[in-house]
Amino acid sequence: GQNIDQPTEMTATEGAIVQINCTYQTSGFNGLFWYQQHAGEAPTFLSYNVLDGLEEKGRFSSFLSRSKGYSYLLLKELQMKDSASYLCAVRDSNYQLIWGAGTKLIIKP
Amino acid sequence: TAGITQAPTSQILAAGRSMTLRCTQDMRHNAMYWYRQDLGLGLRLIHYSNTAGTTGKGEVPDGYSVSRANTDDFPLTLASAVPSQTSVYFCASSGGLENNEQFFGPGTRLTVL
């Protein structure tokens, strides 16, 4: 079967750095996505990786290792507004997104 | 630009009743999707449409139907609602198979009693 695993919840301090991991087992691979979802709102796109390596976008970076079925989202200089759920999703061989359950990130002052 | 709109925002529905959730996008995206989101679970795909006039079944299609008469609209119908269909429903769209991101509507919170 297809499976996306990510931690249920993480806590970090304002101004610090946090890494959210995602491991996957899917039928085929056509890219990995990270989305941010604030409570009661819709998911919004953060990053996309299809090749191995690190993609940097401001305070957020995303890393992919296809051979290990592994990705992480790195958030730097954490701000209170970063408190949200972070969703990992893999596009499979049918070009459909398979979603993880999300990691709830709590930022403490 | 509105992006994607959904209606209603929330609804309480008696079991056995039918209901249509509306979704409209103004980005001229080819592909559209319906997901449900339940606590502790990832988004699950109900139905999708790669282009106007075509639809396909996702991971959890039972009890739901869709149509795609034109590019902009992608309604989701529950023919006879059951309590297990209580969920938050998100509509999304993307430019097509090769385009990267999906854009999401604000969601519809549905409670079936």
Side-chain angles (χ1 to χ4, degrees), chain B residues 9-88:
Chain B
T9 301
S10 65
Q11 182 75 43
I12 298 174
L13 187 67
R17 299 295 295 268
S18 66
M19 178 170 184
T20 295
L21 308 185
R22 299 185 297 278
C23 174
T24 300
Q25 54 105 355
D26 64 2
M27 297 177 283
R28 308 304 295 172
H29 281 168
N30 284 324
M32 297 187 74
Y33 313 85
W34 273 106
Y35 293 96
R36 58 179 290 173
Q37 187 174 40
D38 303 291
L39 196 63
L41 299 177
L43 288 161
R44 290 184 292 169
L45 183 65
I46 304 170
H47 285 286
Y48 65 93
S49 169
N50 288 331
T51 189
T54 69
T55 62
K57 294 181 179 180
E59 179 186 357
V60 288
D62 294 344
Y64 306 94
S65 63
V66 293
S67 61
R68 188 87 184 278
N70 56 60
T71 298
D72 298 345
D73 300 300
F74 191 43
L76 176 74
T77 298
L78 289 68
S80 179
V82 295
S84 62
Q85 292 178 309
T86 294
S87 188
V88 179

Side-chain angles (χ1 to χ4, degrees), chain A residues 4-91:
Chain A
I4 310 285
D5 285 319
Q6 47 181 135
T8 302
E9 187 174 296
M10 299 182 70
T11 301
T13 304
E14 189 177 16
I17 300 173
V18 71
Q19 177 176 312
I20 302 174
N21 296 325
C22 171
T23 58
Y24 63 88
Q25 290 178 304
T26 57
S27 57
F29 179 85
N30 285 294
L32 185 143
F33 297 78
W34 285 95
Y35 280 75
Q36 181 189 58
Q37 185 177 25
H38 285 101
E41 298 183 7
T44 55
F45 171 78
L46 284 178
S47 68
Y48 170 71
N49 295 68
V50 67
L51 300 177
D52 290 351
L54 188 68
E55 293 282 341
E56 297 186 80
K57 190 185 294 186
R59 294 189 298 114
F60 293 5
S61 303
S62 56
F63 171 84
L64 174 67
S65 169
R66 287 172 297 171
S67 63
K68 295 182 179 178
Y70 169 70
S71 172
Y72 68 72
L73 180 69
L74 192 70
L75 291 74
K76 302 176 184 176
E77 301 170 15
L78 286 169
Q79 302 175 9
M80 297 304 292
K81 68 178 182 179
D82 297 330
S83 292
S85 289
Y86 292 85
L87 314 181
C88 175
V90 172
R91 190 159 59 189

